[in-house]
Amino acid sequence: MSSRIFVANRGEIAVRIIEACDRLGFDTVLGVSSADRTTLAARRAGRIVTVGGPRATDSYLDADAIVHAALSTGCTAVHPGYGFLSERPAFARLCADNGLTFIGPQPEALEALGDKLSARALAESVDVPVSAGGTADTLEEVTRLAESIGYPLLIKAAHGGGGRGMKRVGHAAELADAWRVASAEAAASFGDGTVFLERYVEDAKHVEVQILGDRHGHRVHLGERECSVQYRYQKVVEESPCAALPEASRALLHAAALKIADALDYVGLGTVEFLYDVDRDRLAFLEVNPRLQVEHPVTEAVTGIDLVREQILVALGEPLSFTQSDITVAGHAVECRITAQDPTRGLAPSPGHVERWRPPVGGGIRLDSHIYEGYRFPPFYDALMGKLITWGQSRSAAITRMRQALDGFEIGGVTTSLPLLSRITAHPDYLANSVTTRWLEHTLEEGQPR
């Protein structure tokens, strides 16, 4: 098999994809913005092509420029990573129309999952539990629907994520304004102002199942992750497996994810996300992310499977090299997202010159990053600097190793989330595995986690 793969992304995930291609013996071409010509990914790629200006809209989100660059450099496939164009059906179709393999699900699956209302309907059609919810067109209808669901509730964008177009509503008096603001945010961010209501669970854990399918009808799950440590719906710390799940609920979770994958005839990597109501021992479907996830390394750490390698191979038509019975989960893994953000200012972005970058080393420690000493962290993109992953025989062992690794990580010149991550992983609530999705917001509002 001979392929040249165009990497249509940046940062740590571009480095990760290039490394996987290198191990497979595939040539790589990296599309970069004019601000990213000196990144670590640019140094690692076989060739780089500048696709546009520093802003993502002028480069990483320019589908025509990406496809033109891929074709002009003799590439046969495009890896979109996560974010940017990774979940856009029109981009997947544009690749196909030009003879390029899109390393991701088929456009039909992207369309079905890009609309959260359609995804909810799909889940219900295969008897996967969902939270009470729905949509309406007028404020009067919205008010009646909210009363039937009950407060508190969430207003969510039907076409998007990352917390944009999402509002928590605690009382009826807040509903009208929240509905209008959420719809306006959704329209501005995603080009579609459709929003819907969903019951809000106060004490829920965010759990998700990694799925993988090939073009030959084989589909598997690779266990679950817990991503409950979040700030404004952005994940901060993840782990695998979810130690809080009873075994019966874990089995139900995995089965539900595979039902959805089967209904979609899913090909590629995907993540089926759920809320787990701890008090009621109840699961509710949230959405499917039809792409590689930021937090995929914790699954790799406990299964020993290179997910990016498998994602590339199934996109190129290869069958899965293992079955469900071959997959085992061993030990526990934790991931901390290190960002150029200031924890004392509500995690405000803090780009700048990285004067010191000395990561920890040792057994059971992994770092996925694009940063090097002297790198100038740009203001145009997200704040992720790297992902620190630790593995241990048990959850407590993995956390202990993480705390030691964070303490030994030296970063200078840029304000980062390192101090916050150290406090989180030492906090009694986190150690007791009792945190839920609003825990970090509450602790930041009350003062820094102690």
Side-chain angles (χ1 to χ4, degrees):
M1 186 190 303
S2 175
S3 291
R4 177 175 296 162
I5 295 179
F6 191 89
V7 181
N9 215 296
R10 65 175 305 279
E12 61 84 20
I13 199 59
V15 176
R16 174 72 180 88
I17 295 165
I18 290 165
E19 289 176 345
C21 289
D22 287 347
R23 287 194 290 272
L24 285 166
F26 297 157
D27 294 336
T28 54
V29 179
L30 176 68
V32 299
S33 73
S34 57
D36 278 343
R37 292 184 59 85
T38 61
T39 62
L40 186 58
R43 295 180 179 186
R44 297 276 182 88
R47 179 178 174 183
I48 67 168
V49 176
T50 303
V51 294
R55 299 196 178 279
T57 51
D58 300 326
S59 51
Y60 300 109
L61 289 170
D62 189 335
D64 289 331
I66 295 291
V67 168
H68 175 75
L71 292 172
S72 66
T73 53
C75 292
T76 55
V78 175
H79 199 310
Y82 52 70
F84 295 136
L85 298 171
S86 63
E87 297 178 65
R88 305 219 177 165
F91 179 63
R93 283 204 168 88
L94 184 63
C95 288
D97 291 344
N98 285 276
L100 294 166
T101 299
F102 175 77
I103 300 179
Q106 55 273 50
E108 294 78 13
L110 292 175
E111 284 175 340
L113 299 171
D115 180 345
K116 290 184 174 63
L117 286 168
S118 296
R120 277 174 57 91
L122 173 68
E124 289 180 290
S125 73
V126 292
D127 296 322
V128 169
V130 301
S131 295
T135 191
D137 297 320
T138 68
L139 183 57
E140 183 180 353
E141 292 172 344
V142 169
T143 301
R144 285 200 300 268
L145 178 60
E147 289 172 354
S148 69
I149 295 171
Y151 294 92
L153 55 82
L154 277 178
I155 301 174
K156 301 171 73 173
H159 300 271
R164 289 166 292 180
M166 187 180 294
K167 300 294 176 186
R168 181 180 180 276
V169 182
H171 307 282
E174 304 169 359
L175 181 63
D177 283 346
W179 178 265
R180 281 191 288 266
V181 171
S183 182
E185 284 185 6
S189 298
F190 312 115
D192 189 316
T194 304
V195 292
F196 65 100
L197 303 184
E198 196 169 74
R199 175 178 291 148
Y200 180 78
V201 182
E202 290 282 2
D203 292 311
K205 284 185 173 290
H206 186 134
V207 293
E208 58 187 36
V209 182
Q210 179 72 69
I211 58 171
L212 175 63
D214 65 20
R215 299 186 187 279
H216 307 276
H218 307 128
R219 282 173 287 278
V220 297
H221 74 79
L222 294 102
E224 80 286 344
R225 300 183 285 257
E226 181 181 339
C227 313
S228 301
V229 182
Q230 304 177 12
Y231 185 69
R232 295 175 182 168
Y233 306 107
Q234 295 289 326
K235 298 167 184 174
V236 178
V237 178
E238 301 102 347
E239 57 188 271
S240 182
C242 175
L245 278 175
E247 286 308 310
S249 297
R250 193 187 317 277
L252 177 63
L253 178 77
H254 297 164
L258 286 177
K259 280 183 180 180
I260 291 173
D262 288 340
L264 290 164
D265 195 17
Y266 195 84
V267 175
L269 279 179
T271 297
V272 188
E273 305 205 355
F274 296 81
L275 281 181
Y276 176 60
D277 186 334
V278 179
D279 293 336
R280 296 178 177 84
D281 186 24
R282 187 178 300 166
L283 291 160
F285 169 79
L286 277 178
E287 61 181 330
V288 181
N289 285 315
R291 53 168 169 79
L292 183 65
Q293 290 276 91
V294 176
E295 58 272 22
H296 76 274
V298 290
T299 297
E300 293 183 327
V302 296
T303 62
I305 293 171
D306 184 332
L307 294 178
V308 182
R309 176 184 186 277
E310 295 298 326
Q311 180 191 29
I312 294 169
L313 290 176
V314 298
L316 298 178
E318 292 293 306
L320 290 178
S321 58
F322 47 82
T323 65
Q324 190 67 65
S325 61
D326 296 322
I327 300 168
T328 58
V329 173
H332 200 95
V334 176
E335 174 180 291
C336 285
R337 299 191 188 192
I338 299 168
T339 56
Q341 292 176 296
D342 187 347
T344 66
R345 297 191 299 121
L347 290 175
S350 57
H353 185 245
V354 181
E355 298 173 356
R356 189 172 181 83
W357 181 260
R358 303 292 170 87
V361 294
I365 297 173
R366 166 178 167 179
L367 178 68
D368 284 17
S369 179
H370 61 294
I371 304 298
Y372 55 86
E373 205 160 272
Y375 177 70
R376 186 165 293 279
F377 197 90
F380 308 109
Y381 315 107
D382 67 61
L384 186 64
M385 302 184 80
K387 303 174 316 197
L388 184 64
I389 304 101
T390 57
W391 179 91
Q393 291 283 357
S394 63
R395 182 174 186 267
S396 60
I399 293 172
T400 297
R401 184 167 280 161
M402 176 61 73
R403 290 171 62 183
Q404 293 169 345
L406 289 168
D407 288 345
F409 208 135
E410 298 179 30
I411 305 175
V414 176
T415 301
T416 76
S417 60
L418 272 180
L420 175 63
L421 295 169
S422 292
R423 287 191 289 269
I424 290 169
T425 53
H427 196 284
D429 293 345
Y430 180 75
L431 296 175
N433 201 19
S434 62
V435 303
T436 53
T437 53
R438 290 294 302 279
W439 173 80
L440 183 55
E441 288 181 38
H442 289 324
T443 54
L444 284 178
E445 290 165 5
E446 295 165 2
Q448 299 299 320
R450 293 180 295 277

